[in-house]
Amino acid sequence: MERLIKEVRILKIYSVVLTILCFMFIFLAFRNNPEQHFKEIDVERINIVEKDGTLKMVISNKERQHPGMVNHQLMKPREREAGMIFFNSKGDECGGLVYDGDAKGSGMVYSVDQRNTDQIMQLQYSEATGKEKGRVYGLKLWDRPDDFTLERLIKVDDSLKKLNDPVLYKNIWAKLTKEGKLGRERFFAGKTADGDVGLFLRDDQGKVRLRIYVDKNNKTHIESLDDNGAILKNNY
């Protein structure tokens, strides 16, 4: 009996030692061969980082998508579509690619962000389902001020929400929009929801001033507009 107990004890020790050796072998194998080849992998999110841990890119599904960062500080949780989000060494989100499509519609956007603020260039596509698709796609550009950064915008938004005054909130945002603090669209090249294909240029107030396009009836247009949107010159 004592001999049996002794042999069982030896087997336990042997088993533990063998398990440790196996783990060490696996660890050393991965350590000595950092470049692994996978034919297929299912993953919800991948973080691309530098050696020091600085985040540079996130590839994620919708549920685990990164909320964004400003000066290495995480933004508040928000719903974002699946895709890729890019980050610079300063710790700011600097662009990305997001997409989705469901029973209500489809869309995809590739964005390039201005330093310290939001997007200034987008390659975009969107459409709804049904008879009125509202399909729009093309290249869009914005101007954004240097003195009203995304970090400042977030602070203003947080402060206004704490006041719990919907009217004041709406008025302040209308004022910021009028002053151009939220950016102004300047350029669009693509197809509009009305079926026009061409170039649409806006002034520094965001008003359309020049349209060069072919309409859905294949008629060509070159239109200059005044501040109120009235056509000054129309060449066919």
Side-chain angles (χ1 to χ4, degrees), residues 112-180:
V112 176
D113 294 349
Q114 179 176 307
R115 181 180 175 87
N116 296 327
T117 185
D118 215 340
Q119 76 272 356
I120 56 169
M121 180 170 69
Q122 276 190 350
L123 189 62
Q124 55 182 234
Y125 152 72
S126 66
E127 73 169 274
T129 57
K131 185 177 181 180
E132 300 297 329
K133 296 182 181 298
R135 183 184 293 134
V136 177
Y137 50 89
L139 175 66
K140 187 174 287 189
L141 308 180
W142 290 266
D143 277 347
R144 295 190 183 278
D146 292 323
D147 62 350
F148 203 80
T149 64
L150 181 59
E151 187 173 17
R152 184 178 176 186
L153 175 63
I154 293 172
K155 289 180 179 179
V156 169
D157 186 58
D158 289 341
S159 298
L160 290 173
K161 286 180 178 177
K162 289 179 181 178
L163 297 176
N164 195 28
D165 188 335
V167 175
L168 177 63
Y169 185 90
K170 183 178 180 180
N171 290 339
I172 293 296
W173 279 112
K175 182 175 182 295
L176 292 174
T177 300
K178 185 177 181 180
E179 295 174 350

Side-chain angles (χ1 to χ4, degrees), residues 54-79:
T54 300
L55 184 64
K56 299 307 292 282
M57 182 171 72
V58 169
I59 305 173
S60 176
N61 64 11
K62 181 175 181 178
E63 183 178 354
R64 299 182 62 85
Q65 186 59 274
H66 198 287
M69 286 199 303
V70 177
N71 289 331
H72 289 287
Q73 299 295 317
L74 281 174
M75 296 176 66
K76 291 183 178 180
R78 52 176 171 154
E79 184 175 305

Side-chain angles (χ1 to χ4, degrees), residues 81-227:
E81 299 300 339
M84 296 185 293
I85 307 297
F86 309 126
F87 302 87
N88 60 26
S89 298
K90 184 173 175 289
D92 288 342
E93 179 181 329
C94 57
L97 169 67
V98 294
Y99 58 91
D100 198 14
D102 55 26
K104 296 181 179 179
S106 301
M108 177 176 283
V109 174
Y110 170 63
S111 298
V112 176
D113 294 349
Q114 179 176 307
R115 181 180 175 87
N116 296 327
T117 185
D118 215 340
Q119 76 272 356
I120 56 169
M121 180 170 69
Q122 276 190 350
L123 189 62
Q124 55 182 234
Y125 152 72
S126 66
E127 73 169 274
T129 57
K131 185 177 181 180
E132 300 297 329
K133 296 182 181 298
R135 183 184 293 134
V136 177
Y137 50 89
L139 175 66
K140 187 174 287 189
L141 308 180
W142 290 266
D143 277 347
R144 295 190 183 278
D146 292 323
D147 62 350
F148 203 80
T149 64
L150 181 59
E151 187 173 17
R152 184 178 176 186
L153 175 63
I154 293 172
K155 289 180 179 179
V156 169
D157 186 58
D158 289 341
S159 298
L160 290 173
K161 286 180 178 177
K162 289 179 181 178
L163 297 176
N164 195 28
D165 188 335
V167 175
L168 177 63
Y169 185 90
K170 183 178 180 180
N171 290 339
I172 293 296
W173 279 112
K175 182 175 182 295
L176 292 174
T177 300
K178 185 177 181 180
E179 295 174 350
K181 299 299 186 182
L182 307 182
R184 298 192 193 280
E185 182 182 337
R186 296 299 306 273
F187 172 96
F188 177 72
K191 187 171 185 177
T192 70
D194 294 327
D196 300 330
V197 178
L199 296 173
F200 305 86
L201 308 181
R202 298 171 181 262
D203 61 20
D204 60 7
Q205 298 301 307
K207 298 178 180 180
V208 178
R209 301 301 297 271
L210 178 64
R211 299 190 296 226
I212 305 173
Y213 65 97
V214 177
D215 65 25
K216 60 184 178 182
N217 297 314
N218 290 325
K219 290 185 178 181
T220 59
H221 303 261
I222 301 177
E223 301 170 346
S224 297
L225 298 90
D226 63 16
D227 285 342

